[in-house]
Amino acid sequence: MLLEKAVFRMYSKAGCPFCDEAKDLILTTLQSSLHSVDVTDQPDLREVVIKQTGCKTVPIIFIGDEFIGGCNDLIKLHQDGDLEIMVLREENKLMRQEILRLRRSL
């Protein structure tokens, strides 16, 4: 993707099967962009994210700045047909930001 920002941001831990499943859904099924942050060896960062979201398990998944939950929440949004719309909205937002950035650089 040409954009500097990703549609999804996910906090994960090494060896977590739920993190792997969520990553596969995002990258393979949705063919979307993902910024993945490994918190395996970053307990301070993990505590910040827990305080921000209230979620104590990984993965912790955001679309843009919106916290959507964990792996099961991601799968449910996908099964309900809501995830694709959320992804399209975020992609549209990012594209508009990129267009504005490019216009300013001319």
Side-chain angles (χ1 to χ4, degrees):
M1 186 175 234
L2 296 174
L3 301 175
E4 294 177 9
K5 293 185 178 182
V7 171
F8 286 90
R9 183 173 76 246
M10 181 174 80
Y11 296 88
S12 61
K13 291 179 88 176
C16 169
F18 296 104
C19 298
D20 294 339
E21 185 175 357
K23 183 178 180 179
D24 185 57
L25 177 62
I26 292 166
L27 296 176
T28 305
T29 304
L30 297 173
Q31 297 181 343
S32 192
S33 57
L34 171 66
H35 175 75
S36 185
V37 180
D38 188 341
V39 294
T40 304
D41 297 322
Q42 299 185 62
D44 293 340
L45 176 58
R46 180 144 188 237
E47 283 302 315
V48 169
V49 176
I50 289 171
K51 286 180 185 176
Q52 179 184 6
T53 64
C55 186
K56 295 181 181 181
T57 60
V58 292
I60 298 172
I61 306 168
F62 290 82
I63 293 180
D65 294 327
E66 181 182 350
F67 171 62
I68 62 165
C71 182
N72 290 337
D73 301 305
L74 180 74
I75 291 169
K76 181 162 179 14
L77 284 169
H78 180 62
Q79 290 172 341
D80 292 347
D82 298 328
L83 188 58
E84 289 79 3
I85 293 168
M86 295 172 76
V87 169
L88 287 172
R89 285 186 182 140
E90 185 62 22
E91 286 174 342
N92 185 36
K93 179 180 140 189
L94 292 174
M95 290 298 290
R96 282 184 290 163
Q97 290 172 353
E98 185 67 9
I99 289 168
L100 290 173
R101 186 190 69 76
L102 289 170
R103 284 182 183 161
R104 285 191 299 267
S105 70
L106 295 176

PDB file of all heavy atoms in Angstrom, residues 27-52:
ATOM      1  N   LEU A  27      -4.871  -9.791   6.491  1.00  0.00           N
ATOM      2  CA  LEU A  27      -3.971  -9.718   5.339  1.00  0.00           C
ATOM      3  C   LEU A  27      -4.420 -10.563   4.154  1.00  0.00           C
ATOM      4  O   LEU A  27      -4.319 -10.131   3.007  1.00  0.00           O
ATOM      5  CB  LEU A  27      -2.558 -10.124   5.756  1.00  0.00           C
ATOM      6  CG  LEU A  27      -1.874  -9.209   6.765  1.00  0.00           C
ATOM      7  CD1 LEU A  27      -0.518  -9.781   7.163  1.00  0.00           C
ATOM      8  CD2 LEU A  27      -1.733  -7.800   6.218  1.00  0.00           C
ATOM      9  N   THR A  28      -4.926 -11.763   4.415  1.00  0.00           N
ATOM     10  CA  THR A  28      -5.262 -12.679   3.331  1.00  0.00           C
ATOM     11  C   THR A  28      -6.717 -12.549   2.875  1.00  0.00           C
ATOM     12  O   THR A  28      -6.984 -12.334   1.696  1.00  0.00           O
ATOM     13  CB  THR A  28      -4.971 -14.135   3.749  1.00  0.00           C
ATOM     14  OG1 THR A  28      -3.597 -14.216   4.177  1.00  0.00           O
ATOM     15  CG2 THR A  28      -5.193 -15.088   2.606  1.00  0.00           C
ATOM     16  N   THR A  29      -7.627 -12.671   3.818  1.00  0.00           N
ATOM     17  CA  THR A  29      -9.044 -12.645   3.458  1.00  0.00           C
ATOM     18  C   THR A  29      -9.484 -11.244   3.030  1.00  0.00           C
ATOM     19  O   THR A  29     -10.100 -11.077   1.980  1.00  0.00           O
ATOM     20  CB  THR A  29      -9.909 -13.142   4.626  1.00  0.00           C
ATOM     21  OG1 THR A  29      -9.462 -14.443   5.006  1.00  0.00           O
ATOM     22  CG2 THR A  29     -11.371 -13.199   4.239  1.00  0.00           C
ATOM     23  N   LEU A  30      -9.176 -10.248   3.856  1.00  0.00           N
ATOM     24  CA  LEU A  30      -9.594  -8.872   3.554  1.00  0.00           C
ATOM     25  C   LEU A  30      -8.631  -8.158   2.613  1.00  0.00           C
ATOM     26  O   LEU A  30      -8.988  -7.147   2.025  1.00  0.00           O
ATOM     27  CB  LEU A  30      -9.721  -8.060   4.844  1.00  0.00           C
ATOM     28  CG  LEU A  30     -10.765  -8.533   5.841  1.00  0.00           C
ATOM     29  CD1 LEU A  30     -10.653  -7.751   7.131  1.00  0.00           C
ATOM     30  CD2 LEU A  30     -12.159  -8.404   5.248  1.00  0.00           C
ATOM     31  N   GLN A  31      -7.404  -8.677   2.523  1.00  0.00           N
ATOM     32  CA  GLN A  31      -6.339  -8.043   1.737  1.00  0.00           C
ATOM     33  C   GLN A  31      -6.190  -6.579   2.115  1.00  0.00           C
ATOM     34  O   GLN A  31      -6.122  -5.688   1.270  1.00  0.00           O
ATOM     35  CB  GLN A  31      -6.589  -8.213   0.242  1.00  0.00           C
ATOM     36  CG  GLN A  31      -6.565  -9.644  -0.193  1.00  0.00           C
ATOM     37  CD  GLN A  31      -6.784  -9.830  -1.676  1.00  0.00           C
ATOM     38  OE1 GLN A  31      -7.261  -8.951  -2.380  1.00  0.00           O
ATOM     39  NE2 GLN A  31      -6.417 -10.998  -2.168  1.00  0.00           N
ATOM     40  N   SER A  32      -6.136  -6.334   3.408  1.00  0.00           N
ATOM     41  CA  SER A  32      -6.025  -4.981   3.941  1.00  0.00           C
ATOM     42  C   SER A  32      -4.627  -4.769   4.505  1.00  0.00           C
ATOM     43  O   SER A  32      -3.794  -5.670   4.522  1.00  0.00           O
ATOM     44  CB  SER A  32      -7.088  -4.767   5.026  1.00  0.00           C
ATOM     45  OG  SER A  32      -7.191  -3.412   5.354  1.00  0.00           O
ATOM     46  N   SER A  33      -4.392  -3.545   4.961  1.00  0.00           N
ATOM     47  CA  SER A  33      -3.080  -3.202   5.519  1.00  0.00           C
ATOM     48  C   SER A  33      -3.114  -3.338   7.034  1.00  0.00           C
ATOM     49  O   SER A  33      -4.144  -3.109   7.671  1.00  0.00           O
ATOM     50  CB  SER A  33      -2.678  -1.789   5.112  1.00  0.00           C
ATOM     51  OG  SER A  33      -3.660  -0.859   5.523  1.00  0.00           O
ATOM     52  N   LEU A  34      -1.980  -3.714   7.597  1.00  0.00           N
ATOM     53  CA  LEU A  34      -1.889  -3.984   9.035  1.00  0.00           C
ATOM     54  C   LEU A  34      -0.576  -3.452   9.578  1.00  0.00           C
ATOM     55  O   LEU A  34       0.491  -3.733   9.035  1.00  0.00           O
ATOM     56  CB  LEU A  34      -1.968  -5.499   9.281  1.00  0.00           C
ATOM     57  CG  LEU A  34      -1.678  -5.994  10.691  1.00  0.00           C
ATOM     58  CD1 LEU A  34      -2.742  -5.503  11.668  1.00  0.00           C
ATOM     59  CD2 LEU A  34      -1.581  -7.512  10.713  1.00  0.00           C
ATOM     60  N   HIS A  35      -0.688  -2.693  10.664  1.00  0.00           N
ATOM     61  CA  HIS A  35       0.488  -2.314  11.438  1.00  0.00           C
ATOM     62  C   HIS A  35       0.426  -3.164  12.703  1.00  0.00           C
ATOM     63  O   HIS A  35      -0.468  -2.998  13.531  1.00  0.00           O
ATOM     64  CB  HIS A  35       0.461  -0.822  11.783  1.00  0.00           C
ATOM     65  CG  HIS A  35       1.574  -0.408  12.684  1.00  0.00           C
ATOM     66  ND1 HIS A  35       2.866  -0.274  12.239  1.00  0.00           N
ATOM     67  CD2 HIS A  35       1.585  -0.131  14.001  1.00  0.00           C
ATOM     68  CE1 HIS A  35       3.629   0.089  13.254  1.00  0.00           C
ATOM     69  NE2 HIS A  35       2.882   0.174  14.330  1.00  0.00           N
ATOM     70  N   SER A  36       1.348  -4.099  12.814  1.00  0.00           N
ATOM     71  CA  SER A  36       1.360  -5.031  13.931  1.00  0.00           C
ATOM     72  C   SER A  36       2.432  -4.624  14.934  1.00  0.00           C
ATOM     73  O   SER A  36       3.565  -4.341  14.559  1.00  0.00           O
ATOM     74  CB  SER A  36       1.634  -6.449  13.415  1.00  0.00           C
ATOM     75  OG  SER A  36       1.541  -7.364  14.465  1.00  0.00           O
ATOM     76  N   VAL A  37       2.046  -4.591  16.199  1.00  0.00           N
ATOM     77  CA  VAL A  37       2.968  -4.226  17.278  1.00  0.00           C
ATOM     78  C   VAL A  37       3.083  -5.422  18.210  1.00  0.00           C
ATOM     79  O   VAL A  37       2.101  -5.832  18.829  1.00  0.00           O
ATOM     80  CB  VAL A  37       2.458  -2.993  18.055  1.00  0.00           C
ATOM     81  CG1 VAL A  37       3.435  -2.627  19.167  1.00  0.00           C
ATOM     82  CG2 VAL A  37       2.227  -1.817  17.119  1.00  0.00           C
ATOM     83  N   ASP A  38       4.283  -5.979  18.294  1.00  0.00           N
ATOM     84  CA  ASP A  38       4.526  -7.135  19.157  1.00  0.00           C
ATOM     85  C   ASP A  38       4.818  -6.637  20.575  1.00  0.00           C
ATOM     86  O   ASP A  38       5.796  -5.931  20.802  1.00  0.00           O
ATOM     87  CB  ASP A  38       5.710  -7.944  18.620  1.00  0.00           C
ATOM     88  CG  ASP A  38       5.906  -9.252  19.351  1.00  0.00           C
ATOM     89  OD1 ASP A  38       5.384  -9.409  20.479  1.00  0.00           O
ATOM     90  OD2 ASP A  38       6.592 -10.131  18.801  1.00  0.00           O
ATOM     91  N   VAL A  39       3.957  -7.001  21.515  1.00  0.00           N
ATOM     92  CA  VAL A  39       4.126  -6.564  22.906  1.00  0.00           C
ATOM     93  C   VAL A  39       4.691  -7.676  23.791  1.00  0.00           C
ATOM     94  O   VAL A  39       4.684  -7.553  25.011  1.00  0.00           O
ATOM     95  CB  VAL A  39       2.791  -6.030  23.494  1.00  0.00           C
ATOM     96  CG1 VAL A  39       2.350  -4.769  22.784  1.00  0.00           C
ATOM     97  CG2 VAL A  39       1.708  -7.086  23.471  1.00  0.00           C
ATOM     98  N   THR A  40       5.215  -8.728  23.165  1.00  0.00           N
ATOM     99  CA  THR A  40       5.765  -9.861  23.917  1.00  0.00           C
ATOM    100  C   THR A  40       6.796  -9.400  24.938  1.00  0.00           C
ATOM    101  O   THR A  40       6.747  -9.795  26.107  1.00  0.00           O
ATOM    102  CB  THR A  40       6.405 -10.886  22.959  1.00  0.00           C
ATOM    103  OG1 THR A  40       5.435 -11.291  21.997  1.00  0.00           O
ATOM    104  CG2 THR A  40       6.925 -12.093  23.716  1.00  0.00           C
ATOM    105  N   ASP A  41       7.720  -8.569  24.516  1.00  0.00           N
ATOM    106  CA  ASP A  41       8.797  -8.094  25.398  1.00  0.00           C
ATOM    107  C   ASP A  41       8.636  -6.627  25.767  1.00  0.00           C
ATOM    108  O   ASP A  41       9.617  -5.945  26.083  1.00  0.00           O
ATOM    109  CB  ASP A  41      10.157  -8.314  24.711  1.00  0.00           C
ATOM    110  CG  ASP A  41      10.441  -9.781  24.455  1.00  0.00           C
ATOM    111  OD1 ASP A  41      10.086 -10.614  25.316  1.00  0.00           O
ATOM    112  OD2 ASP A  41      10.992 -10.108  23.387  1.00  0.00           O
ATOM    113  N   GLN A  42       7.392  -6.130  25.719  1.00  0.00           N
ATOM    114  CA  GLN A  42       7.131  -4.725  26.039  1.00  0.00           C
ATOM    115  C   GLN A  42       5.978  -4.619  27.051  1.00  0.00           C
ATOM    116  O   GLN A  42       4.888  -4.146  26.708  1.00  0.00           O
ATOM    117  CB  GLN A  42       6.777  -3.956  24.774  1.00  0.00           C
ATOM    118  CG  GLN A  42       7.883  -3.964  23.730  1.00  0.00           C
ATOM    119  CD  GLN A  42       7.521  -3.081  22.558  1.00  0.00           C
ATOM    120  OE1 GLN A  42       7.344  -1.884  22.715  1.00  0.00           O
ATOM    121  NE2 GLN A  42       7.402  -3.682  21.383  1.00  0.00           N
ATOM    122  N   PRO A  43       6.210  -5.037  28.286  1.00  0.00           N
ATOM    123  CA  PRO A  43       5.115  -5.033  29.273  1.00  0.00           C
ATOM    124  C   PRO A  43       4.566  -3.627  29.552  1.00  0.00           C
ATOM    125  O   PRO A  43       3.370  -3.478  29.820  1.00  0.00           O
ATOM    126  CB  PRO A  43       5.736  -5.652  30.519  1.00  0.00           C
ATOM    127  CG  PRO A  43       7.207  -5.526  30.332  1.00  0.00           C
ATOM    128  CD  PRO A  43       7.458  -5.528  28.851  1.00  0.00           C
ATOM    129  N   ASP A  44       5.399  -2.605  29.472  1.00  0.00           N
ATOM    130  CA  ASP A  44       4.926  -1.242  29.717  1.00  0.00           C
ATOM    131  C   ASP A  44       3.933  -0.805  28.645  1.00  0.00           C
ATOM    132  O   ASP A  44       2.888  -0.225  28.953  1.00  0.00           O
ATOM    133  CB  ASP A  44       6.093  -0.254  29.778  1.00  0.00           C
ATOM    134  CG  ASP A  44       6.992  -0.489  30.979  1.00  0.00           C
ATOM    135  OD1 ASP A  44       6.542  -1.137  31.948  1.00  0.00           O
ATOM    136  OD2 ASP A  44       8.152  -0.030  30.949  1.00  0.00           O
ATOM    137  N   LEU A  45       4.254  -1.094  27.384  1.00  0.00           N
ATOM    138  CA  LEU A  45       3.355  -0.757  26.289  1.00  0.00           C
ATOM    139  C   LEU A  45       2.059  -1.553  26.415  1.00  0.00           C
ATOM    140  O   LEU A  45       0.964  -1.023  26.220  1.00  0.00           O
ATOM    141  CB  LEU A  45       4.017  -1.032  24.941  1.00  0.00           C
ATOM    142  CG  LEU A  45       3.149  -0.809  23.704  1.00  0.00           C
ATOM    143  CD1 LEU A  45       2.637   0.624  23.650  1.00  0.00           C
ATOM    144  CD2 LEU A  45       3.942  -1.146  22.442  1.00  0.00           C
ATOM    145  N   ARG A  46       2.170  -2.799  26.772  1.00  0.00           N
ATOM    146  CA  ARG A  46       0.978  -3.639  26.936  1.00  0.00           C
ATOM    147  C   ARG A  46       0.067  -3.069  28.013  1.00  0.00           C
ATOM    148  O   ARG A  46      -1.156  -3.030  27.854  1.00  0.00           O
ATOM    149  CB  ARG A  46       1.384  -5.070  27.280  1.00  0.00           C
ATOM    150  CG  ARG A  46       0.178  -5.955  27.450  1.00  0.00           C
ATOM    151  CD  ARG A  46       0.418  -7.345  26.937  1.00  0.00           C
ATOM    152  NE  ARG A  46      -0.838  -8.087  26.966  1.00  0.00           N
ATOM    153  CZ  ARG A  46      -1.021  -9.213  27.608  1.00  0.00           C
ATOM    154  NH1 ARG A  46      -0.032  -9.788  28.232  1.00  0.00           N
ATOM    155  NH2 ARG A  46      -2.183  -9.809  27.593  1.00  0.00           N
ATOM    156  N   GLU A  47       0.647  -2.597  29.116  1.00  0.00           N
ATOM    157  CA  GLU A  47      -0.155  -1.995  30.193  1.00  0.00           C
ATOM    158  C   GLU A  47      -0.871  -0.736  29.716  1.00  0.00           C
ATOM    159  O   GLU A  47      -2.023  -0.506  30.064  1.00  0.00           O
ATOM    160  CB  GLU A  47       0.721  -1.681  31.407  1.00  0.00           C
ATOM    161  CG  GLU A  47       1.070  -2.889  32.228  1.00  0.00           C
ATOM    162  CD  GLU A  47      -0.155  -3.623  32.757  1.00  0.00           C
ATOM    163  OE1 GLU A  47      -1.096  -2.974  33.257  1.00  0.00           O
ATOM    164  OE2 GLU A  47      -0.176  -4.870  32.669  1.00  0.00           O
ATOM    165  N   VAL A  48      -0.206   0.065  28.904  1.00  0.00           N
ATOM    166  CA  VAL A  48      -0.830   1.276  28.349  1.00  0.00           C
ATOM    167  C   VAL A  48      -2.038   0.897  27.497  1.00  0.00           C
ATOM    168  O   VAL A  48      -3.114   1.499  27.610  1.00  0.00           O
ATOM    169  CB  VAL A  48       0.189   2.099  27.523  1.00  0.00           C
ATOM    170  CG1 VAL A  48      -0.502   3.189  26.725  1.00  0.00           C
ATOM    171  CG2 VAL A  48       1.263   2.686  28.423  1.00  0.00           C
ATOM    172  N   VAL A  49      -1.872  -0.108  26.651  1.00  0.00           N
ATOM    173  CA  VAL A  49      -2.960  -0.541  25.772  1.00  0.00           C
ATOM    174  C   VAL A  49      -4.100  -1.150  26.586  1.00  0.00           C
ATOM    175  O   VAL A  49      -5.271  -0.915  26.294  1.00  0.00           O
ATOM    176  CB  VAL A  49      -2.439  -1.529  24.704  1.00  0.00           C
ATOM    177  CG1 VAL A  49      -3.569  -2.051  23.848  1.00  0.00           C
ATOM    178  CG2 VAL A  49      -1.372  -0.874  23.836  1.00  0.00           C
ATOM    179  N   ILE A  50      -3.783  -1.889  27.625  1.00  0.00           N
ATOM    180  CA  ILE A  50      -4.817  -2.462  28.497  1.00  0.00           C
ATOM    181  C   ILE A  50      -5.616  -1.343  29.158  1.00  0.00           C
ATOM    182  O   ILE A  50      -6.853  -1.387  29.195  1.00  0.00           O
ATOM    183  CB  ILE A  50      -4.198  -3.400  29.552  1.00  0.00           C
ATOM    184  CG1 ILE A  50      -3.701  -4.682  28.896  1.00  0.00           C
ATOM    185  CG2 ILE A  50      -5.214  -3.718  30.660  1.00  0.00           C
ATOM    186  CD1 ILE A  50      -2.875  -5.576  29.807  1.00  0.00           C
ATOM    187  N   LYS A  51      -4.933  -0.319  29.655  1.00  0.00           N
ATOM    188  CA  LYS A  51      -5.627   0.817  30.291  1.00  0.00           C
ATOM    189  C   LYS A  51      -6.496   1.553  29.285  1.00  0.00           C
ATOM    190  O   LYS A  51      -7.594   2.000  29.598  1.00  0.00           O
ATOM    191  CB  LYS A  51      -4.619   1.768  30.921  1.00  0.00           C
ATOM    192  CG  LYS A  51      -4.026   1.233  32.194  1.00  0.00           C
ATOM    193  CD  LYS A  51      -3.037   2.194  32.795  1.00  0.00           C
ATOM    194  CE  LYS A  51      -2.378   1.565  34.017  1.00  0.00           C
ATOM    195  NZ  LYS A  51      -1.342   2.413  34.579  1.00  0.00           N
ATOM    196  N   GLN A  52      -6.015   1.673  28.054  1.00  0.00           N
ATOM    197  CA  GLN A  52      -6.742   2.396  27.007  1.00  0.00           C
ATOM    198  C   GLN A  52      -8.001   1.638  26.585  1.00  0.00           C
ATOM    199  O   GLN A  52      -9.042   2.243  26.333  1.00  0.00           O
ATOM    200  CB  GLN A  52      -5.838   2.616  25.798  1.00  0.00           C
ATOM    201  CG  GLN A  52      -6.493   3.324  24.643  1.00  0.00           C
ATOM    202  CD  GLN A  52      -5.584   3.423  23.426  1.00  0.00           C
ATOM    203  OE1 GLN A  52      -4.488   2.876  23.388  1.00  0.00           O
ATOM    204  NE2 GLN A  52      -6.048   4.108  22.417  1.00  0.00           N
TER     205      GLN A  52
END
